[in-house]
Amino acid sequence: MNSLKFCTILLMVFIFAGGSFGLKANLEEHQKKSSYSKALAESLIEVNIVKNKKESLKELDLLAKSFIEKGFYNRALDVYDKILRQKLPRKKVFEYYVIIGDLYNLKKDYNLSLDYYKKALYIRKNNAEVMVKIGKTFFEVNLFELAEKMFLAALKIDKKSIKANRGLGDLFYKQGIYEKAINYYIKIPKEFYEREIIRNMADSYKNLNKINEAMDILEPFLEKHIDYELTFDMGLIYMSIDNYEKAKEWLLKSLEIKANNFKNYVYLASLYDLTGEHKKAIDLFNKAYNLDSSYASVDFMRASLAYKTGRIREAKMYANESYKKAKSVFVKDQAKKLIEFLNKK
């Protein structure tokens, strides 16, 4: 059997997922680590409103922020509820609505988050920042058309909005509309390029077969940062243009940064198979198998390599394992054909 065919089958089987918007605070972790006194918090929340109004609101605001820092989002929301009962200037009400919307977003209560963002937008109808927040919330729940409308509305108000352009770039990237994703990403000044923007742009260029552009995005970042995923991505880019030696070089660098990476072992082993270095390929596929034995494609490749190195009995065993584990009709059919082929030997 042709090595390239085996490699193609393998790569078709593997689907590895990989941005999302927003703050990534872990509520449970915050609560576990917090040494904040619960009793003190409960006493402080009853701040005496009889005091000078400005002073008491300031204390309540500080208390709410303290709760947020400690990860007590429900307590913070209770405090903001007390604050909103006071007569406040519309400007302050707007600010608190946005903060409350952010808190509900952190709690992944997107309906309430949207309610407060919309209340804020009712007060300031042309606020691009709030429009972006609404767009991001729609994005989180996969309401892509609504998200796009909000990002575009924000851009009408602020044509240079980095967050709106980022939102649209991420939105189209997630949908696999790579040309549009790039069109919005490149509107962001380079000094604001974050790691995920760089990765998404490189992958978009790669999918558009614009290999030089993909490399031009990754190389400057990798010159300054040690990043096993982006180093791995660079290896895949070279692999896509059949530059196997360069691909090996980058995949090996990625393994040096982070050992025991299942994906890396699989792709690097496939490269060694393609270049006839079967012993190295076998070793890496065995390491991949030891990390995760559930993939039919790994057994399939081990069967192929066992056959190539004259170990027919092992090849049959691996092929049968591949057939048992196969979850797709295609892989099962390929494993069956391999078994039939091996049984004739």
Side-chain angles (χ1 to χ4, degrees), residues 36-240:
Y36 198 80
S37 167
K38 196 172 182 180
L40 176 62
E42 288 172 350
S43 63
L44 282 172
I45 201 167
E46 300 302 331
V47 174
N48 191 351
I49 302 298
V50 176
K51 290 181 180 181
N52 173 278
K53 180 181 174 183
K54 191 173 182 180
E55 183 183 344
S56 63
L57 285 173
K58 184 179 179 181
E59 289 179 13
L60 283 169
D61 194 60
L62 288 171
L63 178 60
K65 288 174 181 174
S66 175
F67 281 139
I68 293 170
E69 287 175 6
K70 302 297 180 181
F72 298 141
Y73 302 132
N74 287 331
R75 289 174 177 273
L77 287 166
D78 288 340
V79 178
Y80 285 125
D81 183 58
K82 283 181 178 288
I83 290 173
L84 287 174
R85 289 178 203 167
Q86 313 306 310
K87 285 188 177 180
L88 303 170
R90 282 171 66 82
K91 179 183 176 182
K92 294 302 292 182
V93 174
F94 168 84
E95 290 173 5
Y96 286 124
Y97 280 160
V98 174
I99 293 169
I100 293 169
D102 289 344
L103 281 173
Y104 279 119
N105 219 303
L106 280 170
K107 285 162 55 66
K108 299 190 185 301
D109 190 336
Y110 297 121
N111 286 331
L112 280 174
S113 179
L114 283 170
D115 284 345
Y116 278 94
Y117 289 149
K118 287 175 181 177
K119 285 180 181 181
L121 200 60
Y122 182 78
I123 295 173
R124 291 190 177 179
K125 292 180 172 56
N126 292 320
N127 189 280
E129 286 285 321
V130 176
M131 288 176 179
V132 168
K133 286 177 183 288
I134 293 172
K136 289 180 178 180
T137 307
F138 282 137
F139 178 91
E140 287 290 347
V141 293
N142 296 327
L143 295 173
F144 297 142
E145 286 185 20
L146 292 174
E148 183 182 353
K149 285 178 182 177
M150 292 310 301
F151 292 137
L152 290 172
L155 281 178
K156 281 184 180 178
I157 296 164
D158 181 1
K159 294 179 181 179
K160 295 182 179 180
S161 171
I162 292 168
K163 292 179 180 178
N165 280 309
R166 166 72 188 272
L168 286 161
D170 288 345
L171 179 70
F172 288 117
Y173 175 75
K174 189 172 182 179
Q175 296 176 86
I177 308 172
Y178 301 116
E179 194 75 57
K180 278 193 172 184
I182 289 294
N183 287 341
Y184 285 104
Y185 282 139
I186 61 175
K187 292 178 182 178
I188 301 170
K190 288 186 178 179
E191 60 266 29
F192 293 100
Y193 278 7
E194 297 175 4
R195 177 188 180 278
E196 288 308 309
I197 294 175
I198 289 168
R199 194 175 194 199
N200 292 354
M201 288 181 76
D203 190 51
S204 296
Y205 280 129
K206 180 188 164 196
N207 280 287
L208 293 168
N209 203 31
K210 295 181 178 181
I211 303 304
N212 290 334
E213 288 88 340
M215 291 178 179
D216 288 343
I217 286 291
L218 285 177
E219 282 176 351
F221 182 87
L222 290 173
E223 285 173 4
K224 298 177 182 178
H225 302 87
I226 296 171
D227 190 303
Y228 84 92
E229 284 186 318
L230 295 185
T231 304
F232 175 80
D233 290 347
M234 187 68 92
L236 295 192
I237 288 170
Y238 275 109
M239 193 172 177
S240 71

Side-chain angles (χ1 to χ4, degrees), residues 323-334:
Y323 182 80
K324 290 175 188 176
K325 295 174 187 175
K327 293 178 181 178
S328 72
V329 175
F330 174 77
V331 177
K332 212 169 190 66
D333 183 56
Q334 293 301 313

Side-chain angles (χ1 to χ4, degrees), residues 173-345:
Y173 175 75
K174 189 172 182 179
Q175 296 176 86
I177 308 172
Y178 301 116
E179 194 75 57
K180 278 193 172 184
I182 289 294
N183 287 341
Y184 285 104
Y185 282 139
I186 61 175
K187 292 178 182 178
I188 301 170
K190 288 186 178 179
E191 60 266 29
F192 293 100
Y193 278 7
E194 297 175 4
R195 177 188 180 278
E196 288 308 309
I197 294 175
I198 289 168
R199 194 175 194 199
N200 292 354
M201 288 181 76
D203 190 51
S204 296
Y205 280 129
K206 180 188 164 196
N207 280 287
L208 293 168
N209 203 31
K210 295 181 178 181
I211 303 304
N212 290 334
E213 288 88 340
M215 291 178 179
D216 288 343
I217 286 291
L218 285 177
E219 282 176 351
F221 182 87
L222 290 173
E223 285 173 4
K224 298 177 182 178
H225 302 87
I226 296 171
D227 190 303
Y228 84 92
E229 284 186 318
L230 295 185
T231 304
F232 175 80
D233 290 347
M234 187 68 92
L236 295 192
I237 288 170
Y238 275 109
M239 193 172 177
S240 71
I241 57 173
D242 298 335
N243 189 334
Y244 299 144
E245 294 310 312
K246 271 287 185 183
K248 286 182 206 171
E249 185 182 316
W250 282 98
L251 293 181
L252 284 167
K253 280 183 186 177
S254 181
L255 269 181
E256 286 173 10
I257 299 167
K258 183 181 178 181
N260 296 335
N261 185 325
F262 178 80
K263 284 194 297 182
N264 209 328
Y265 282 137
V266 169
Y267 280 96
L268 192 52
S270 300
L271 279 172
Y272 282 129
D273 181 28
L274 283 168
T275 55
E277 298 169 89
H278 297 143
K279 190 175 180 181
K280 289 181 179 179
I282 289 167
D283 180 53
L284 288 170
F285 273 124
N286 287 340
K287 286 180 178 179
Y289 181 85
N290 289 335
L291 287 174
D292 190 340
S293 61
S294 65
Y295 283 90
S297 49
V298 173
D299 285 302
F300 189 93
M301 293 298 291
R302 293 170 89 200
S304 166
L305 284 161
Y307 168 71
K308 290 173 186 177
T309 52
R311 295 174 291 121
I312 306 299
R313 186 177 176 183
E314 279 185 47
K316 289 179 179 179
M317 180 182 71
Y318 295 144
N320 279 302
E321 283 298 309
S322 178
Y323 182 80
K324 290 175 188 176
K325 295 174 187 175
K327 293 178 181 178
S328 72
V329 175
F330 174 77
V331 177
K332 212 169 190 66
D333 183 56
Q334 293 301 313
K336 185 180 178 182
K337 288 178 180 177
L338 179 58
I339 291 167
E340 290 171 353
F341 172 80
L342 293 169
N343 283 336
K344 295 175 182 178
K345 299 299 175 182

